[in-house]
Amino acid sequence: MTTVPSPCNNHCKIDPHNGYCRGCYRSLPEITSWSVMTDEEKLAVYAHISERRPK
């Protein structure tokens, strides 16, 4: 069972300039491998998301 929820908010569109989803700010590899990531890996992705999200 997963304890770290997906950051997906159903606004899925990859920004061609930076390669991140405009809704959740994950890269395609992060999106596609989310279901097999450990909670530790998912938390690391969340750390990157906060850096990628516009201020």
Side-chain angles (χ1 to χ4, degrees):
M1 185 171 146
T2 291
T3 57
V4 179
S6 170
C8 181
N9 58 16
N10 296 316
H11 291 101
C12 307
K13 187 166 187 178
I14 300 298
D15 185 324
H17 299 290
N18 60 25
Y20 300 126
C21 174
R22 291 181 176 164
C24 68
Y25 297 97
R26 291 181 292 169
S27 66
L28 280 175
E30 291 167 343
I31 292 168
T32 58
S33 58
W34 187 263
S35 64
V36 296
M37 286 182 177
T38 65
D39 285 347
E40 186 175 276
E41 292 169 325
K42 290 175 182 180
L43 291 172
V45 171
Y46 266 101
H48 292 296
I49 288 171
S50 64
E51 297 167 359
R52 297 170 186 161
R53 185 174 280 129
K55 308 294 184 232

